[in-house]
Amino acid sequence: MNDQAAALRQIVRNMRENREPQEGREAGPPAARVVTVTSGKGGVGKTNFTVNLALGLAQRGKKVLIIDADFGFANVDLLLGATPQHDLSELISGERGVDEIICDGPMGIKFISGGSGVFDLVGVEERRLSGVVGSLIGLENLADIIIFDTGAGMSGNILRMIEASAEVIVVTTPEPTAIMDAYSLVKTVVLKNNSSTELRLVINKAESSGEAKSTADRFCGIVSHYLDREIQQIGYILSDETVIKAVKRQSPFMLSYPKGEAAGCMRDIVSEFLHEQGQEKKTGLRSFFRNLLSSAAVGVQ
C-alpha cells in the first residue's frame, strides 16, 4: 500500500510540475469547465438531469462531454438510446485508446461510459497511469464543459470525486428523505474542509414553482446556518409527465418534448448555470485528476 501511495504522490507531483508549458513546448488544450453532478440518494433523477443539462448547453452552442462515473448503475447511454461498445475500463487496462471509448450523442454531445473505470485509476501502475491520465486530460480538446455523473450516496469514491471537483451540482427532490440525504452529503463535504468546491442546488420533480423555491430556500438556509456555507440555487424542474414519456422512449425530454414544462425549466437552469460562473471557472481535467489522485494517495496509505 505504501508503494502504491508513493506512486500516486509522484504522479501528482509530476502533474503540478507540468502544469505550465515548458519553453519551446506548445501549451496543452485549454482548460474546460469541469462539473460533477451528484445526489444524496437514488431515484431523484440525477442522471436524467445530467443528460438534459448537456443537451441544453449544446443548444446554447457549448461543446459538452459526459463521463458516466456511476459504477453501480451507469445508464447515461440508456437515456440517450445509445449502445456503447467500449468503456473507460478498457482505456485503463490498455485494451483501447481514448478515441475508441468516446461515443457520439445527439446535438454533438460526447459521452464516455465509465462505470468503475474512474476509480480503477488508483490501482494502475505508475508508468501506465501517467499515460492514461495524459490521454484523459486531452479530452479537453473535445469540450468546453465536462460533466461527471456520479453514483448516488456517500461512498468513499463518490466523496473523492466531489472533493476533486471545483464545481458540484447536488440534485434532490422536495421529498423529506431526499432532502435529508442531500443535506448529509453536503455536510460531509463541508466538514472535510473542502472550501474550494462551489456547491450548486437543483430541486427536481417539484409540484409547483412555489414548492421548489420554498424547498431550496429552506435547504440553503439550513446549510448557511449550521454549516456556515453558501450553496447557490440554480433552478428547479417541475414534475412533468413528458419526462416519464421521454425516459420510456429512451430519448431526452429536451429533444422529445422541447415545449414541455421540464424543458422550459432546464433552459432556465442552463441560463443560470452559464451566467453564474460565465467562463471564469475553467480549472480543467488536470486539476480534477490531480485532486482525485491526491485524495486516493491518502486513502491507500
Side-chain angles (χ1 to χ4, degrees), residues 31 36 55 159 237 241:
T36 293
L55 287 167
L159 289 174
I237 300 176
E241 64 178 8

Side-chain angles (χ1 to χ4, degrees), residues 52-174:
N52 285 282
L53 172 66
L55 287 167
L57 290 167
Q59 289 174 353
R60 295 284 293 270
K62 301 300 180 182
K63 295 185 293 183
V64 186
L65 169 68
I66 303 173
I67 299 179
D68 191 344
D70 186 343
F71 61 91
F73 301 97
N75 54 12
V76 165
D77 55 332
L78 294 177
L79 292 172
L80 289 171
T83 307
Q85 299 301 309
H86 309 291
D87 61 32
L88 186 55
S89 65
E90 293 174 81
L91 174 68
I92 306 300
S93 67
E95 297 173 64
R96 303 285 172 182
V98 68
D99 293 340
E100 296 176 275
I101 66 171
I102 300 171
C103 300
D104 294 319
M107 293 199 64
I109 67 171
K110 309 283 186 182
F111 74 95
I112 293 175
S113 181
S116 61
V118 174
F119 310 114
D120 289 342
L121 284 169
V122 177
V124 178
E125 58 95 16
E126 182 177 349
R127 182 177 299 179
R128 176 69 189 149
L129 180 59
S130 295
V132 170
V133 172
S135 295
L136 291 171
I137 292 171
L139 291 171
E140 291 186 306
N141 284 315
L142 301 177
D144 307 308
I145 300 169
I146 297 172
I147 305 174
F148 283 90
D149 181 47
T150 76
M154 292 183 288
S155 73
N157 282 334
I158 291 172
L159 289 174
R160 276 192 283 272
M161 285 200 70
I162 292 172
E163 293 163 24
S165 302
E167 191 171 357
V168 172
I169 297 175
V170 179
V171 180
T172 187
T173 69

Side-chain angles (χ1 to χ4, degrees), residues 193-222:
N193 298 318
N194 188 31
S195 60
S196 62
T197 298
E198 297 287 346
L199 298 173
R200 315 263 182 259
L201 178 69
V202 168
I203 305 297
N204 194 23
K205 303 181 183 180
E207 293 299 326
S208 67
S209 60
E211 180 186 54
K213 291 174 181 176
S214 63
T215 300
D217 286 344
R218 287 198 305 273
F219 187 92
C220 293
I222 291 172

